[in-house]
Amino acid sequence: QGCTQKYIVKNYFYYYLFKFSAALGEEIFYITFLPFTYWNIDHSVSRRMIIVWSIVMYIGQVSKDILKWPRPLSPPVVKLEMRTNAEYGMPSTHAMAATAISFSFFIATMNQYKYPFELGLAAAFVFSTLVCLSRLYTGMHTVLDVIGGALISAVLLMLLYPAWDMIDHLLLTSPFCPLFSIVVPLVLCYNYPKLDYYSPTRGDTTTILGAAAGATVGFWLNNQYAAPAYTSKSFQPGLPLVTSTMVLVLARFFVGILVVLLTRWVMKSVVLGMLGYRYKFPIRDVEARRRLEVEVPYKFVTYSSVGFTATVIVPLLHELLGLM
């Protein structure tokens, strides 16, 4: 499963387009776009996307390991990715994530910002379609996997939409929110469906639920202590409005993402070091890191710290630097 295949790229436009599109359904996109919306667009939009994303992805990941539908056979398919090859195929969680994020963003913003409805709908459709097509191009999913993932995500989004405001209100105001946000995801991760061989799905699910848990605790804490919200009033004098806004947006993003990535690196090292000491294994031992008692706390603590940092520590730093 770890072997690579030789192939010849005949159309570099499609190759790079779909390789890039595939990355829109992976950690590099989640760890940049979701915090970006919190720092620069709207807190309520970010909260709703994270709620939908975490629920949709958990259901998608668990469904894979319950259904156990294999990925496309290779040959005849040429697979351009190897990391997720050990996972099952149905449903495509890339398709689920792309559909959930793009359409939840569209639905959450269409009544808050002035832009053509058709343009927003088309943007959400193009984004999700590109990610779905990338899974076919890279040989990682069948057409049925992709359609199934998109449809499941759409159904879940329709079911969750009427409860958005209620869920958001409870997560912001309930005194039990921090406990609920940590305990429930941990229970789900420790009771993840068992497989006959190792698959990265449990680790990826723990990463997603951990990040959402940390962010949710951050949302609750900010609401309790009335943390200052981002505004568009801080412009550099003498610069055109658009230019100063872009400078502010980019400054927030680069400062924030630097702190988030630093948090991830530090927490990975610290948590792995502690678990290695506790269970007597070297940090570079890949097999040991795949064990349940290591993988779940390692990923959960690391990424809950990332979520908390993005929603609490980074905004405090932005305020200190005059970027609010």
Side-chain angles (χ1 to χ4, degrees):
Q1 291 179 339
C3 63
T4 57
Q5 295 171 290
K6 293 182 179 180
Y7 55 87
I8 298 174
V9 178
K10 295 182 179 179
N11 189 314
Y12 281 95
F13 173 76
Y14 287 139
Y15 177 78
Y16 288 114
L17 173 65
F18 290 126
K19 289 287 281 185
F20 173 77
S21 300
L24 298 178
E26 297 173 358
E27 181 185 348
I28 186 65
F29 175 73
Y30 304 146
I31 210 170
T32 53
F33 179 71
L34 294 176
F36 180 88
T37 60
Y38 188 77
W39 302 329
N40 292 296
I41 299 179
D42 189 277
H43 286 189
S44 64
V45 173
S46 180
R47 292 197 302 268
R48 283 159 173 74
M49 282 202 303
I50 289 174
I51 290 169
V52 171
W53 169 67
S54 57
I55 293 174
V56 165
M57 288 299 288
Y58 174 76
I59 291 174
Q61 295 285 75
V62 168
S63 298
K64 280 186 177 184
D65 290 337
I66 292 176
L67 294 174
K68 298 183 178 181
W69 286 21
R71 289 187 182 270
L73 292 176
S74 177
V77 167
V78 176
K79 296 184 178 179
L80 305 187
E81 297 177 13
M82 284 297 122
R83 179 189 173 274
T84 58
N85 195 37
E87 297 179 6
Y88 290 107
M90 178 66 170
S92 166
T93 45
H94 273 70
M96 293 184 72
T99 303
I101 288 177
S102 59
F103 281 94
S104 62
F105 181 81
F106 167 60
I107 294 169
T109 58
M110 66 181 182
N111 293 324
Q112 296 191 37
Y113 297 93
K114 293 181 179 180
Y115 63 81
F117 175 86
E118 296 78 8
L119 179 62
L121 182 62
F125 180 78
V126 169
F127 178 91
S128 56
T129 300
L130 281 175
V131 175
C132 289
L133 290 176
S134 75
R135 307 315 289 159
L136 303 178
Y137 182 88
T138 54
M140 301 310 296
H141 285 285
T142 65
V143 174
L144 186 59
D145 294 344
V146 170
I147 293 175
L151 287 177
I152 292 170
S153 188
V155 170
L156 289 172
L157 189 55
M158 287 190 292
L159 293 174
L160 288 169
Y161 175 69
W164 265 9
D165 292 338
M166 181 187 69
I167 295 172
D168 188 50
H169 177 73
L170 286 174
L171 292 179
L172 288 178
T173 59
S174 173
F176 302 105
C177 172
L179 182 64
F180 177 86
S181 300
I182 298 298
V183 172
V184 172
L186 270 176
V187 170
L188 293 176
C189 292
Y190 274 109
N191 290 277
Y192 193 82
K194 293 179 174 59
L195 297 177
D196 297 331
Y197 64 90
Y198 178 79
S199 166
T201 47
R202 184 183 64 201
D204 291 346
T205 304
T206 306
T207 294
I208 292 164
L209 294 184
T216 303
V217 172
F219 297 148
W220 179 87
L221 194 64
N222 287 338
N223 186 67
Q224 298 304 306
Y225 293 94
Y230 289 95
T231 67
S232 56
K233 297 178 181 178
S234 303
F235 299 121
Q236 296 182 18
L239 288 175
L241 187 64
V242 174
T243 304
S244 57
T245 302
M246 288 302 298
V247 169
L248 191 63
V249 166
L250 290 174
R252 286 173 178 169
F253 176 73
F254 285 114
V255 168
I257 206 65
L258 180 63
V259 174
V260 164
L261 293 177
L262 181 63
T263 300
R264 184 179 67 163
W265 177 74
V266 170
M267 292 307 297
K268 273 186 175 182
S269 302
V270 171
V271 176
L272 266 180
M274 294 174 64
L275 290 170
Y277 177 78
R278 168 67 177 82
Y279 293 107
K280 310 300 181 187
F281 67 87
I283 292 179
R284 297 186 181 277
D285 187 341
V286 176
E287 289 301 318
R289 288 163 60 170
R290 291 176 172 179
R291 286 155 45 189
L292 174 68
E293 65 272 20
V294 174
E295 184 176 59
V296 170
Y298 150 54
K299 299 251 181 183
F300 192 87
V301 173
T302 297
Y303 285 92
S304 61
S305 300
V306 167
F308 185 82
T309 296
T311 54
V312 176
I313 306 301
V314 169
L316 290 175
L317 182 59
H318 283 165
E319 184 181 15
L320 183 65
L321 296 174
L323 299 175
M324 297 294 281

